[in-house]
Amino acid sequence: SGTSRYLFVLPGYESNFSVGSNFRFNSSGVKTDLESAKTTQDATVVVSISDPSVVIEASGNNYINFELSFSKSRATGNSISFTPTLIDGTAVVGSDLGSTIQYSLNNSTWSDLTSSITVTNTTNTVFLRVSVTDDSRPEVNENFVIKTNSFTESATTKEISNSSGTFSTGTIADNNDPLVWTGASNNSFGSSSNWNPNDLSPSVDYSISIPSGITNDPEVGNDVSIKDLVIQSGAKITINNNTVLSVKGNVSNDGQSLGEGTLELSGTNSQTISGTGAFKSLKIENTSGVTISNNVGTMVNMIGVLSINSGQLSTNGNLTFKSTASDEGILGTVNCSNAATINGNVIVERLIPGSQRAFRFLTPGVNTTGTIRDNWQEGQNNTSTVYASYQNNTTGYGTHITGSTTGANGFDATLTGNPSLFKFDNATQTWVSVSSTNNASTDLMKFGEAYRILIRGSRAVNMNTNTPVPDSTTIRTTGQLCYCETIFNSTGSGTSVLSAVSLNATTNAWSFIGNPYWAYVDWHTVTKQNVSNTYYVWDPTIAGTNGRGGFEAWIYNPGTNSGQKQNGTTSRLDRYIQPGQAFFVKTTGSSPSITFNETDKYTGSNGRKSIFSVDSPPVSNSTNSANNLQPDVGENRISILIYLKENLDKKAADAATLYYANGWSDELGVDDADKLNNPDENIALSRGAKNFAFEGKNPLSNLLSDSVDLKLWNLNARSYVLRINAEDYAAQHEIFLVDKLKGTEYRVNKGSIFDVSIAPVTGQRTLDNFYLLLRKPVLELSSTQAVTQKGFMVYPNPVTNELNLSLGSDIELQENSKLFISDFNGQRLLTADIEVGDGNSFSIDVSALTAGTYIVELISGKRRYTHKIIKK
């Protein structure tokens, strides 16, 4: 505002200064002195020397440059001399810095400084420089000082105000010379004794190099940050569980980053990943983004979990989610609310183990830019059935997809031309074979789409035989991943809705869909509206007559927040839907929808299930043993399985499960699973005209007895074994398998397995003569004994003429209840209506029955109570 102010400057100290409204000054005294100093300064020369930019160590000629300048022209004939020197900071003269200073008056011709520098009055700028070398040692930035020392002037009158000299600081940045792992002492990543140099340990200041051929591979046991990371070919680093190795620079991995801990890219500037190595756990935490190198030969391989919390991961098409016998790459949580994204294509792999030619339910897991042929057939197809001319350019990858005798429409030619790839039309409820695999308009694949494909093995399998030997193969698909909220509904419209796949809106209709995420998805947390809580997959290990596999169901009970499986003994099925897995769901009402969210993903290693495998099934896959179950209170499971007799050492041809536990209902509902028909043998729990793969019920503790009909169909004239597995059963009730045709009652010991052989005759495709009977051991009652027990009681037993029946307090008669007495052929010989007002006790005349064994049935509502009686 027109008023002068003076500022004291102390050389060697730097700060910012600004004038504020409350600036204070002294209006006299020092002001006069300052005016005098200013007058003197205006009449003399000030010499300054610039601070250069940071220079990085280099192995060639590299210099730190300084510029010395005079503030104004000097008097004629006045020359000055000065002798610059270097003063060590953290840099070492003669090692980090050259020991010679060079100077130039024109910034082009340089001379070594051997004594002093003399410049005439016509020179206003002097250029100085000092060489920088690479000391091959990882270091933090190093500093040094260059001083002009005093200026000597030729004239008597001094022209230079700061004739005592001036200075400048230089900075040398490390050339990313890495700390190199030696493992000289042990596996400890944080121990300096395991590094070269061995007086340093990993920190954010140093880059790290892990070479191959080391006896002790590094293990990261504590959180640590580093600059760059290089893992050489054949080398590996293990990051232990709950540990983070944070990289602020770039990663080059031609080896392996293993362990349950996390390798995190968390720099502030953009970062790159290069190499062909594998990552077990990788997290992107950089708002500036991470880019996978697009160099030829780069292919980053995920063998575990990739998660993105912030920033964009640009793949350049060089990211593969691997699938092997031991590892599986998946996309973990993507923080969509934090603008985390993925840009570019990826490759997703699905290993299909060999040894069985069977159907699989698959979904691509990505939106592809190429056709089915480009992906699952490895970009080729056979146009001849001659084995020698088969197209198989990538060993162990791809499979044959058939539907033509000549190889037309992208199919692999076969002698029959039978199709092997199908979609299920959710609208018409029918299977439809795919008409081509190479049409760029119609044969692109979408995440969420479901396919049924016959996997014969890799493209090396000879299809000219009826008994091919399938080998293992990997099916891979290239495209863009699905993440963030994703919805299936019946209209195909709306925010986040997959328009390519629509659910059938008709109650009790089936819909075939695929896991949209390349991740393990928890079916229990997926949001379901008017869709059954049961999902159905295809298990290729089910060993029916033709070895084609069969359906397995997982049943979720929202009331108990728990799940059970149709085959409670040997099934691999779980709550976690696998990446690349397709499945069936059932509509239960109008406007059905299924919503997948990032929170539904599960990243634990135990989320992987061998749904696509064909190896030997486990002895037992149940969640409890009989010794651990609490009788009548806890879980009690009975699995009923049908085996081909020659396949007892393999998977069952089919299975059903009866399950008693708290929180499960006797009524038909969400905790029961309808039966989906297998192409070969089937077994189910039968209720009238309906068949169930799984039936959940209340605990048995308050029941005297219960019975469940069994139904078997699609049988052949073969030898079968009907197996009752009661290993997970510990209730008080005794278990009997009753054959109504033979009049035979087989006792099944709890905690054990019981087998009975059955052999249908030619033309007999269905058997419904078996049922399970569960009853408490009951003492025989005389006609005069008081009935104090709960449940359905009959006495005396054996009986002569009149049979007394008593209902316990836990039985509430429903309208139209009936009593039947049947022989073991299932023929009902006596029938009586039981009215609600009849009380808790009644009798029935059985004198007309001939001597023998009979079944007494009381059917009240949806409950059935049975007893076996003997007629004298």
Side-chain angles (χ1 to χ4, degrees), residues 14-27:
E14 295 184 9
S15 64
N16 294 320
F17 174 77
S18 61
V19 176
S21 60
N22 62 343
F23 182 75
R24 297 175 184 273
F25 65 96
N26 191 338
S27 61

Side-chain angles (χ1 to χ4, degrees), residues 200-216:
L200 300 176
S201 56
S203 76
V204 72
D205 297 312
Y206 306 128
S207 296
I208 299 299
S209 179
I210 313 297
S212 60
I214 303 298
T215 300
N216 296 317

Side-chain angles (χ1 to χ4, degrees), residues 524 555-564 575 635 659 661-665 670-671 697-698:
H524 292 192
I555 304 92
Y556 169 54
N557 184 342
T560 62
N561 193 29
S562 63
Q564 295 293 325
R575 64 193 290 173
E635 304 171 46
Y659 183 70
N662 287 320
W664 297 73
S665 171
V670 296
D671 50 5
K697 292 190 173 188
N698 286 326

Side-chain angles (χ1 to χ4, degrees), residues 55 80 126 185 258 350 389 455 581 637 661 670 682 765 826:
V55 173
I80 64 169
V126 179
S185 298
L258 304 176
R350 164 53 56 209
S389 66
I455 302 291
Q581 181 178 333
R637 178 187 296 105
V670 296
N682 289 267
R765 302 279 287 168

Side-chain angles (χ1 to χ4, degrees), residues 372-373 376-377 381 399-404 410-413 418-421 434 437 453-454 456 459 463:
I372 298 171
R373 177 183 180 273
W376 290 356
Q377 293 171 269
N381 65 297
T399 192
H400 294 117
I401 300 180
T402 60
S404 167
F411 292 115
D412 291 295
N418 289 335
S420 65
L421 182 64
V434 171
T437 67
I453 179 172
L454 179 64
R456 301 170 170 92
R459 297 189 60 79
M463 295 187 292

